[in-house]
Amino acid sequence: MSILINLYRKILTIPLSFLVKNNSIPHHPIEELALDIKQPFVYVLPYTSQTDLLIFQRNCLHVGLPDPLQANQINGESVPRYVFLDEGHSFFKSKGAKKETEKIFYKYLELHRASPDLNVQLVPGSVLWGRSPGQEDKNGLPKLRLLNSVQKIFAAIWFGRDTFVRFSQAVSLRYMVNEHGADEKIAQKLARVAKIHFAKQRISAAGPRLPNRQAMFKKLLQSATILQAIDDEAKVKNISHEKATQEAQKILDEIAANVSYESLRVADRFLRWLWNKLYQGIDVQNADRVRRLALEGHEIVYIPCHRSHIDYLLLSYVLYHQGLVTPHIAAGINLNFWPVGGLFRRGGAFFIRRTFKGNRLYSTLFREYLAELFHRGYAVEFFIEGGRSRTGRLLAPKTGMVSMTLQALQQGQTRPISLVPVYVGYEHVLEVDTYAKELRGAAKEKENAGLVLRVIKKLRNLGKGYVNFGEPISLNNYLTQHYPAWKQTLQEERPSWFNQAVDQVANQVMVNINNAAAVNAMNLTGTALLSSRQRALSREQLLEQLESYQQLLQNTPYSQDVIIPTDTPEEMLNHVLSLDRVGVLSEKDNFGEIIRLERNSAVLMTYYRNNIQHLFVLPSLVASIVLHYEATQKDLVIDAVNKIYPFLRAELFLHFNDDELQPRIASIIAELARQQLIKYNDGLLSIHRPKVRSLQLWSAGMREILQRYQIAVSLLCNDPTMSRASLEKESQSVAQRLSVLHGINAPEFFDKAVFSGFINSLKNNGYFDDNGNVNLTKLQQLSDIFTRLISAEINLTIQSAVEKSEESLAEETEQEDKTEDNI
């Protein structure tokens, strides 16, 4: 029999080598699953299949794992390196597979009892032939099945490039023996647990059956909540119930996705070509977090930052190749145009209007449709910022979708819901040229087919893309921790804790996205060049600054999830110079090489700098204080940082709380001293003159932020009775004047929304009393710090502009009074 099996395997190997591509999940299982290749392995496959075994073998060898067809040699005994859990639809069936597997497990357990140093790793592995979940039948019930030998021949032809080998977390048999013993019952339990694992794995990879769209609509339109909304619509608009129902059907048709697995496969081919054309690779980190949640049966909600229109394409592509179900994606209704609207809908997009205001029927239908997606177990994705960031920073979160997600949990969602923040970054964003025009005042171009074609024509070398899955937020655990009584208010439509919880969860999502930032050559180089007023540095100085950034990120990590480049500064700079149309130029003169940023590219480069600005803002603040105070006690530095930090934390979604801030400052001071950028002796901080240029470049990271804060504070100190609307307007006007006079390129410098956020922070941190009156003493202390940290030239410009602003406001008030008198 073994001779026939070996012959059969040799015959199968030939077509499989041509038809089936190596696709292992995870891509680097030894590192990502922390496997110890010095210890023996035993692979567990779900059911008997020589075809699966050969594909599994090829993938094992491809990723550097031991060959499953070679036996383990332990203490002079030869033990199989693989087992089948159950019978499959195989030509060569392993009769009594279950009993044989339990026997092999028991043998391994016995070997552990005899060898205390032995630790065999039991690694579950499975071959996924395609990822089609299938369609619901008339009863809406999923049907799982195995493929027989003939079916696998056709599957290899049709799904060869969509066949994935999934490696799962290893089980330590040493741990099992130590904790549970080594009898036959433990061997049986191992087989039983492995079976359950494979069932969960299949669901996590393919997902629930795709819905019958019309059947879903019918179910939704029969729900009590929607029937009530239809009745209200009929009464308010004075139309018949039938007409209101037709309107509801029309809205559902506008909203709902129409997912097609074949469309996903076609999209996968196109996107693979697109990424190869655009990027030099996609760096994916921490996907194991999501796979773990999927296996545990969580309802997963992906919340990425929004840099580009291709974010949702990239994330779906990455999830597909990480062995996860592609999500239903909340897309703006502006993307529902021919021909891409239908393609997006078949790829999982459901469309959302920009505002629900004044349309109760629409808001009810959308909320119930989203709850139905959760109820059926579909992964969902939405962009919490609402739109794409034009500045490269995270935008203030829009809480509507978070609110509806919490409402779904309130309505009795049985599966735990986990929010997965996702950092998406690029070394070059396709639309960044358009963003620059819009920031200069150009109108936003409406999405259309012509715009798509123009983008495709721009295909070029854009460097690397990054997808980093941040720390998930389990809503059930979060609410239990912060609002212990939340389950007791499930019947209430809007319990007292609800709005506060929505805001806090939304803010935590933003913090976790920033915690997962991907640092790359582009944004590091941009940060250094923009820190120079002339946007130019000698090659030596630039390399020194890149190394300084890199060392600080490595030695004082912002968070455990931040991706730090491992290339040398020289390699990073050469990479940036090789990219197309980034505006970084190399020039030579008699004294050496100069790296400079083209003037027209300065605004574009701020976009990439702003992607990681939050990582450097505290070191920049410490550097700025030491530079401008020249010699000061550490306690004074800490006091100044404590006064400014609340505003930075709110604006840039920083994660350090009050207890963590002082140790963070201490570690930054220690690292700057280690790099010899500052001197630190007996609690006294001072400038280290030989490295003062590098300290200046570090300090520049806070330059524009402090100037912006000083503008608002100076206006308020000058006129404490100024209304909030006037303060926002005048702050923006002064900032615009300052940007022209001093060549400030940062687009967020005169962003009204940023000033509005700063004013909110002033209020939240006690600079206004309960009656809205300004605490002038406290505000003046803050202004004194800003004055010391800003150059005299800038301070004079701000003061002059503030005085002119006061005169302008007085003239406006006088004119308004005259107009009222005339009336």
Side-chain angles (χ1 to χ4, degrees), residues 524-663:
L524 282 182
T525 303
T527 298
L529 290 174
L530 289 169
S531 297
S532 168
R533 290 187 183 276
Q534 295 76 31
R535 300 181 298 278
L537 292 168
S538 70
R539 186 182 185 95
E540 293 77 16
Q541 181 68 64
L542 178 53
L543 292 174
E544 182 181 337
Q545 196 62 22
L546 291 177
E547 185 176 9
S548 180
Y549 292 153
Q550 202 172 17
Q551 287 183 8
L552 185 132
L553 290 170
Q554 290 169 346
N555 297 333
T556 61
Y558 179 84
S559 79
Q560 63 178 5
D561 291 337
V562 169
I563 300 172
I564 303 171
T566 55
D567 293 342
T568 66
E570 188 79 34
E571 290 169 337
M572 286 192 283
L573 179 55
N574 290 338
H575 173 68
V576 171
L577 291 171
S578 73
L579 297 179
D580 294 339
R581 298 176 63 185
V582 299
V584 179
L585 304 176
S586 172
E587 298 175 348
K588 290 186 178 180
D589 61 13
N590 293 334
F591 303 99
E593 188 176 0
I594 293 174
I595 310 297
R596 71 176 180 86
L597 186 60
E598 285 185 311
R599 184 177 182 83
N600 293 338
S601 300
V603 174
L604 307 184
M605 190 59 80
T606 62
Y607 186 95
Y608 303 110
R609 177 200 65 186
N610 288 350
N611 289 175
I612 60 166
Q613 189 177 31
H614 63 285
L615 304 180
F616 291 143
V617 71
L618 275 178
S620 294
L621 180 56
V622 171
S624 184
I625 293 169
V626 175
L627 187 68
H628 291 91
Y629 283 44
E630 293 198 2
T632 186
Q633 293 294 325
K634 178 183 174 182
D635 290 346
L636 290 177
V637 174
I638 291 173
D639 181 64
V641 174
N642 282 333
K643 285 186 168 63
I644 297 172
Y645 179 71
F647 309 112
L648 299 175
R649 183 180 185 182
E651 181 178 330
L652 297 172
F653 303 104
L654 307 181
H655 74 86
F656 305 105
N657 59 35
D658 293 341
D659 293 335
E660 297 167 330
L661 183 58
Q662 189 162 332

Side-chain angles (χ1 to χ4, degrees), residues 247 367 372 406 592 660:
E247 178 63 20
R367 185 176 64 248
E372 183 67 14
L406 261 69
E660 297 167 330

Side-chain angles (χ1 to χ4, degrees), residues 402-558:
V402 176
S403 175
M404 283 186 272
T405 303
L406 261 69
Q407 282 177 321
L409 191 63
Q410 261 195 297
Q411 291 169 6
Q413 167 68 21
T414 54
R415 300 168 70 225
I417 298 178
S418 285
L419 309 183
V420 179
V422 187
Y423 180 94
V424 182
Y426 309 90
E427 287 188 318
H428 200 350
V429 175
L430 275 175
E431 303 100 317
V432 76
D433 296 342
T434 306
Y435 293 165
K437 292 174 185 175
E438 291 175 13
L439 290 166
R440 294 188 192 107
K444 178 181 178 291
E445 184 176 357
K446 186 177 179 180
E447 286 77 7
N448 55 68
L451 181 61
V452 175
L453 291 174
R454 288 202 301 277
V455 169
I456 291 175
K457 283 181 182 178
K458 290 182 178 180
L459 298 181
R460 57 185 184 269
N461 173 21
L462 301 180
K464 291 184 71 174
Y466 299 85
V467 176
N468 191 8
F469 295 93
E471 183 67 32
I473 302 167
S474 169
L475 284 184
N476 304 64
N477 293 343
Y478 186 92
L479 293 179
T480 300
Q481 181 182 349
H482 295 88
Y483 304 94
W486 73 276
K487 289 185 180 179
Q488 300 168 19
T489 59
L490 291 179
Q491 303 306 315
E492 298 178 26
E493 187 174 344
R494 286 271 175 168
S496 57
W497 55 264
F498 189 84
N499 289 339
Q500 185 180 17
V502 168
D503 290 339
Q504 288 178 341
V505 168
N507 188 76
Q508 190 61 51
V509 167
M510 308 306 280
V511 169
N512 287 12
I513 289 174
N514 264 348
N515 284 352
V519 183
N520 58 58
M522 185 72 159
N523 45 41
L524 282 182
T525 303
T527 298
L529 290 174
L530 289 169
S531 297
S532 168
R533 290 187 183 276
Q534 295 76 31
R535 300 181 298 278
L537 292 168
S538 70
R539 186 182 185 95
E540 293 77 16
Q541 181 68 64
L542 178 53
L543 292 174
E544 182 181 337
Q545 196 62 22
L546 291 177
E547 185 176 9
S548 180
Y549 292 153
Q550 202 172 17
Q551 287 183 8
L552 185 132
L553 290 170
Q554 290 169 346
N555 297 333
T556 61
Y558 179 84

Side-chain angles (χ1 to χ4, degrees), residues 768-783:
F768 294 87
D769 64 21
D770 294 338
N771 298 318
N773 300 315
V774 176
N775 185 333
L776 266 178
T777 302
K778 190 174 180 180
L779 195 68
Q780 190 59 57
Q781 290 174 351
L782 186 64
S783 180

Side-chain angles (χ1 to χ4, degrees), residues 548 551-552 555-556 666-676:
S548 180
Q551 287 183 8
L552 185 132
N555 297 333
T556 61
S667 67
I668 289 169
I669 289 172
E671 175 60 19
L672 294 178
R674 189 196 68 78
Q675 292 188 29
Q676 298 185 338

Side-chain angles (χ1 to χ4, degrees), residues 94-304:
S94 175
K95 292 182 180 180
K98 180 179 176 183
K99 288 293 182 186
E100 182 66 22
T101 295
E102 290 176 0
K103 181 180 175 183
I104 293 172
F105 280 165
Y106 183 56
K107 183 64 179 176
Y108 274 112
L109 293 173
E110 281 189 321
L111 288 169
H112 278 78
R113 192 158 46 189
S115 304
D117 296 331
L118 181 63
N119 182 20
V120 174
Q121 297 156 95
L122 191 152
V123 179
S126 58
V127 179
L128 305 174
W129 290 88
R131 303 277 292 286
S132 174
Q135 296 285 339
E136 287 179 347
D137 62 17
K138 292 180 182 178
N139 297 318
L141 299 174
K143 294 178 180 176
L144 300 179
R145 62 188 178 87
L146 303 180
L147 299 179
N148 60 36
S149 300
V150 176
Q151 288 171 327
K152 281 185 179 175
I153 293 172
F154 290 101
I157 296 170
W158 189 246
F159 294 114
R161 292 190 171 274
D162 292 308
T163 299
F164 295 81
V165 170
R166 176 77 176 268
F167 297 96
S168 295
Q169 196 69 48
V171 175
S172 165
L173 291 188
R174 167 54 55 199
Y175 172 83
M176 294 296 295
V177 170
N178 291 347
E179 293 294 318
H180 306 288
D183 57 29
E184 291 183 7
K185 288 185 178 180
I186 299 303
Q188 292 169 0
K189 183 179 180 181
L190 277 172
R192 194 164 56 250
V193 170
K195 235 177 179 180
I196 295 169
H197 167 83
F198 284 122
K200 290 180 177 179
Q201 189 184 81
R202 179 70 195 177
I203 293 296
S204 74
R209 293 273 172 174
L210 298 177
N212 180 311
R213 201 162 179 261
Q214 292 306 316
M216 180 191 278
F217 290 177
K218 185 177 179 181
K219 178 187 175 184
L220 286 169
L221 291 172
Q222 289 173 348
S223 75
T225 305
I226 290 179
L227 285 172
Q228 183 61 55
I230 290 173
D231 287 340
D232 293 344
E233 181 80 359
K235 289 175 185 176
V236 169
K237 293 189 175 179
N238 196 24
I239 58 177
S240 67
H241 186 274
E242 289 73 19
K243 194 166 183 180
T245 302
Q246 289 173 5
E247 178 63 20
Q249 175 84 27
K250 184 179 175 183
I251 291 172
L252 279 174
D253 196 53
E254 174 193 302
I255 293 171
N258 188 21
V259 182
S260 160
Y261 176 67
E262 290 307 317
S263 295
L264 289 172
R265 289 189 65 217
V266 171
D268 177 56
R269 300 287 191 277
F270 168 74
L271 292 175
R272 190 177 299 168
W273 167 83
L274 184 65
W275 306 140
N276 289 335
K277 194 82 173 175
L278 289 177
Y279 297 105
Q280 297 173 9
I282 306 297
D283 189 339
V284 181
Q285 298 290 333
N286 293 319
D288 57 303
R289 286 174 165 167
V290 192
R291 284 195 290 269
R292 196 158 47 243
L293 290 174
L295 283 173
E296 292 169 359
H298 285 238
E299 174 62 39
I300 300 176
V301 181
Y302 299 98
I303 310 182

